Amino acid sequence: MYSQISILRNHVYLAVDFGASFQELCRRLKITPEYLNNGEGHAQWQADEDFWLHALEMTGIPNLGLQMGQRPNNLNAFGMLGLLAGTCRNVREAVEMICKYNDTLTGAFKFSFETNGNEGKFVFDPQIIWEQTALESARQAVDMLMSGWTKTFHDATGKKIHPIRTEVRYSPRFEDEYNNILNSPIVFNQKNNCFIFSKEYLNTPLVS
């Protein structure tokens, strides 16, 4: 599994904002500060160098992924794909762009999008081997995606619009935090991690 180094860099600096030691976190991840400057390069995932497990231990914040996702957006963290998605006309086109070029950004997640009548389903599932090896790490990453994309869509459209519902593969927890961020129903123990969007939501223009 791989992810663009710019994503790891963004995660590391956010964890530092939440109390982790930058030098110690780099030491645990077996990287140097200079390594994080290679934004377009790819970082390979190793179980003993897992960012989320070290960040959770160092910050002591159980819902770290949800909290990190609510910090100001940094489209540069997602390289050219983030910048391209930001230039799309509406939410639908941005989601389609993300799914189409998913492999340029990460192999840790599989994104897909499908429509059915007046609804659209945006799926973001981590690789099975990640969940099997480090379930908590994968779930924190999913939490950050849900939280961060909710904020990104709000900022990009200038509107506080929300999915019809959100589905996650995992058991219930942090329900108040999910509700405060998503402001829509969340259903646990489902087949996929996904947002269910209305047609009106998908057609919302991007303003920034």
Side-chain angles (χ1 to χ4, degrees), residues 146-181:
M146 291 193 300
S147 177
W149 274 334
T150 297
K151 186 177 189 307
T152 297
F153 290 144
H154 289 172
D155 292 347
T157 62
K159 298 180 179 180
K160 295 291 185 180
I161 54 178
H162 302 276
I164 296 173
R165 69 181 181 279
T166 301
E167 299 178 359
V168 294
R169 294 162 59 94
Y170 315 116
S171 58
R173 71 175 187 182
F174 307 146
E175 294 185 62
D176 288 342
E177 287 87 347
Y178 283 123
N179 290 331
N180 288 337
I181 292 170

Side-chain angles (χ1 to χ4, degrees), residues 92 95-96 99-100 111-125 165 167 191-199 202:
R92 176 194 293 270
V95 170
E96 290 174 341
C99 294
K100 182 176 181 179
F111 304 142
S112 64
F113 177 66
E114 60 185 50
T115 58
N116 181 14
N118 291 323
E119 294 183 0
K121 183 178 182 180
F122 179 24
V123 177
F124 38 93
D125 285 339
R165 69 181 181 279
E167 299 178 359
K191 181 180 179 180
N192 300 110
N193 303 300
C194 63
F195 288 133
I196 307 297
F197 295 132
S198 67
K199 181 178 179 181
L202 292 170

Side-chain angles (χ1 to χ4, degrees), residues 2 31 144 152:
Y2 64 90
I31 61 174
M144 185 174 181
T152 297

Side-chain angles (χ1 to χ4, degrees), residues 71-132:
R71 287 301 173 94
N73 294 308
N74 178 13
L75 287 181
N76 290 330
F78 300 95
M80 289 302 299
L81 180 54
L83 297 176
L84 285 172
T87 64
C88 290
R89 292 181 300 175
N90 53 42
V91 173
R92 176 194 293 270
E93 289 187 6
V95 170
E96 290 174 341
M97 179 75 71
I98 291 169
C99 294
K100 182 176 181 179
Y101 296 107
N102 167 57
D103 290 344
T104 67
L105 186 68
T106 180
F109 273 88
K110 182 62 177 178
F111 304 142
S112 64
F113 177 66
E114 60 185 50
T115 58
N116 181 14
N118 291 323
E119 294 183 0
K121 183 178 182 180
F122 179 24
V123 177
F124 38 93
D125 285 339
Q127 293 286 356
I128 294 297
I129 189 173
W130 188 5
E131 291 183 323
Q132 292 175 340

